[in-house]
Amino acid sequence: MMARFPELKGRRILITGASSGIGAGMAKVLAREGCRLVLHYNRNANGIENTLQQVTQLGAQAQVLRCDFSRLENLPDFFEQAGSCFDGLDGLVNNAGIVTKSTSLKDPLGDKFAATLAVNLQAPYLLSAAFAKACIEAKQGGVIVNNTSIHGQATCEWFSAYAASKAGLDAITKVQAVEWGQYGIRVNGLAPGVVPVERTLAILSQPQIEAQWCERMPLGRYGKTEEMGEATAYLLSDAAAWMTGSILTIDGGLIARGNYPQR
Ligand SMILES: NC(=O)c1ccc[n+]([C@@H]2O[C@H](COP(=O)([O-])OP(=O)(O)OC[C@H]3O[C@@H](n4cnc5c(N)ncnc54)[C@H](OP(=O)(O)O)[C@@H]3O)[C@@H](O)[C@H]2O)c1
């Protein structure tokens, strides 16, 4: 793999949720770009060890930090540790998230709803604020990439908490971009479509399920975690220097197509 964005070499990037799935794919691509990485995980110690091994093989400097984002009081210490790994940060990738399938009728006290919003919405909100504050104090610019989802734009049954968290993250992306543009801090979102990860592979690889999904996608296949990494590298790079407050949908055309019957 060749580096596409030479200016990313040496940049200090915190990726949350790098122990599996899309976060691990992002870490590999950013390692190829020569970034110095702070890799976050919560429970999956083997997963983060694998990611660390892979990025190290690609020649990246990387450090690992653990934090449970469902306990928001953990975030200030976590962010301070992340900043001290390489004496500051140039970029923040808010990728960690939970996919909650529930309905309001099955969650009468709203516990699942609150837990989903804490990890998917409040944690990125607070981490981004801590990142922006550090950039402003250091008199340097910075870049934030929020991993949202197509569920922020179009959703379906069972996903009220998840979709609310991702639509909220889309909104925060825009507001924070507006607030921090004056400091040279860019904030964009990445809205992936269906990307098989360890968590979903067993279901999504069933031929009937795969056919049902892929016939709705103009590009006719699922996304790959590294493709989300490529888009993240672009958003972090100077090629996107005039881009802020945008949500980059990357879904093989799923959302663009709409739910019309086949013609
Ligand atoms: N895969 C898709 O099709 C798809 C599509 C659209 C958007 N997304 C978004 O992509 C992001 C990554 O998801 P994924 O699909 O790659 O799933 P994944 O493999 O399950 O990754 C989720 C990551 O989030 C971390 N995490 C979960 N709960 C956490 C908590 N309480 N505190 C801190 N970290 C926590 C996990 O850490 P541990 O495992 O170490 O605990 C893991 O590293 C999510 O924001 C998701 O909404 C995914």
Side-chain angles (χ1 to χ4, degrees):
M1 287 202 288
M2 296 253 299
R4 294 183 202 270
F5 304 106
E7 69 275 18
L8 289 183
K9 192 169 172 56
R11 293 228 181 132
R12 301 155 297 179
I13 313 290
L14 166 60
I15 310 174
T16 68
S19 48
S20 58
I22 292 177
M26 290 169 164
K28 277 186 262 174
V29 173
L30 296 183
R32 179 201 72 194
E33 296 293 336
C35 297
R36 288 178 283 170
L37 300 173
V38 182
L39 303 171
H40 156 266
Y41 77 110
N42 180 28
R43 286 185 296 200
N44 187 351
N46 288 339
I48 202 71
E49 198 48 48
N50 279 342
T51 307
L52 180 64
Q53 209 175 352
Q54 287 177 330
V55 303
T56 307
Q57 275 167 7
L58 289 163
Q61 291 180 49
Q63 297 207 32
V64 165
L65 287 180
R66 181 176 186 198
C67 185
D68 180 356
F69 292 171
S70 67
R71 299 175 62 104
L72 296 170
E73 67 274 18
N74 290 340
L75 291 176
D77 277 356
F78 166 72
F79 187 78
E80 199 182 315
Q81 287 170 31
S84 62
C85 287
F86 297 111
D87 195 22
L89 289 170
D90 302 294
L92 165 65
V93 181
N94 282 312
N95 165 73
I98 46 177
V99 182
T100 318
K101 281 175 84 178
S102 187
T103 70
S104 29
L105 294 180
K106 292 197 174 207
D107 186 25
L109 298 178
D111 296 339
K112 283 191 178 173
F113 190 81
T116 308
L117 261 61
V119 176
N120 291 8
L121 184 58
Q122 289 177 277
Y125 170 76
L126 294 170
L127 286 175
S128 294
F131 174 78
K133 186 166 177 279
C135 290
I136 293 164
E137 282 171 5
K139 295 189 173 20
Q140 63 159 69
V143 192
I144 298 171
V145 178
N146 290 323
N147 190 357
T148 76
S149 166
I150 51 172
H151 281 274
Q153 303 165 42
T155 189
C156 58
E157 57 278 15
W158 295 97
F159 281 93
S160 53
Y162 185 70
S165 72
K166 296 300 187 175
L169 191 55
D170 287 355
I172 284 170
T173 299
K174 292 172 198 169
V175 175
Q176 293 184 332
V178 171
E179 290 178 348
W180 300 334
Q182 63 184 310
Y183 303 112
I185 299 167
R186 297 190 294 106
V187 190
N188 290 295
L190 180 74
V194 188
V195 180
V197 295
E198 295 88 326
R199 178 174 54 75
T200 55
L201 194 59
I203 291 179
L204 293 177
S205 59
Q206 290 172 24
Q208 203 191 343
I209 305 262
E210 182 165 2
Q212 272 174 1
W213 274 112
C214 293
E215 73 184 13
R216 288 171 164 77
M217 297 184 217
L219 293 182
R221 66 166 175 83
Y222 294 135
K224 300 175 186 163
T225 60
E226 284 82 1
E227 289 172 324
M228 306 306 119
E230 298 288 355
T232 303
Y234 165 70
L235 291 173
L236 290 170
S237 80
D238 297 351
W242 204 51
M243 188 170 171
T244 199
S246 292
I247 309 296
L248 183 62
T249 300
I250 175 160
D251 68 348
L254 180 67
I255 292 286
R257 186 180 181 281
N259 195 21
Y260 307 109
Q262 203 90 40
R263 302 286 160 119

